[in-house]
Amino acid sequence: MPFNQKPQTFNAKINEVTIGSGEKAIKIGGENVFPLYSFDAPIENAPKVGVEITDMGFENACAGIKDYYAGCATIADMAKKASEMEGADFVALSLEGGDPNGENKSVEELVALVKEVAAAVDCPLVVEGSKNVEKDGELLTKVAEALQGKNAVVMPAKEENYKAVGAAAGLAYDQIVGCESAVDINLAKQLNVMTTKLGVKSESIIMNVGTATVGYGYEYVVSTMDRIKGAALSQDDAMLQMPIITPVSSETWGVKESVASEEDMPEWGPAEERGISMEVMTAAADLAAGSNAVILRHPQSVATISKMIKELV
């Protein structure tokens, strides 16, 4: 008996959001099918892959990452090199050095760095804060101002600081607001509602609904993204129709499978190969669950996930 495919499409769709400006601007979202269901309907905007760099450099990174950036004298040089990585669609700059519990770099120093990076690349730019809510409220406001005209993603806007970050990025300086919640559909929707009530257009919002490395309670990530996409498409829930971006590398390169030395765990094999595997598996799972863009670190991971997307979409 022949197989008769019955495509499942929806009248509702995920918002299409443009990131960056000029010829290399990218679009994410816009689909009216479930993640990677290109057999049901064409997906015009394939998921995108970003390359993460950090203001702290990669002194403690694995050999493959350090080798790729060999010869880069500045973070701006690293940003340009990242933008040229095979499979890269955008660059994500993490300002982790601003954390008051760490290096506690000043807002002025970090904003100056952001300007240098923005001048060095012609691809879309995502700027991630220091992971300190109070510091980011001030820092990301200045970042949004410094990137006027770049149509960059500024994140994270959290429940504790969304007014400052959202008002600056989404209203005053016309950037894209990255709203971050912690693997919970209700928290994600609530933050989107509050951000739009500030006056930020829904087409200027993307969501980071959180992730975990595969094997570390990842089923919660899958169920959350699945429920979000289901509500957005089948229930036409406008407050869950923002596309999803997922910073993968910051999670996967910190778990024991990625950091334990081969001397300590010889049966696990080379640490770098393990780290790449964790990054690739998590990114692939995030894309299948509903992410419209993933942020990775290792050149091999970026190339692998980019190839996977091209073959599936």
Side-chain angles (χ1 to χ4, degrees), residues 211-221 254-258 268 278:
T211 188
T213 304
V214 287
Y216 285 82
Y218 190 80
E219 64 273 15
Y220 292 103
V221 178
V255 297
K256 62 182 180 181
E257 288 84 354
S258 301
W268 285 5
M278 299 302 283

Side-chain angles (χ1 to χ4, degrees), residues 19 28 47-50 90 244-248 287 290-295:
I19 304 173
I28 61 174
K48 300 300 188 290
V49 182
F90 62 93
I244 297 173
I245 187 170
T246 308
V248 173
L287 292 169
S291 186
N292 297 93
V294 290
I295 299 174

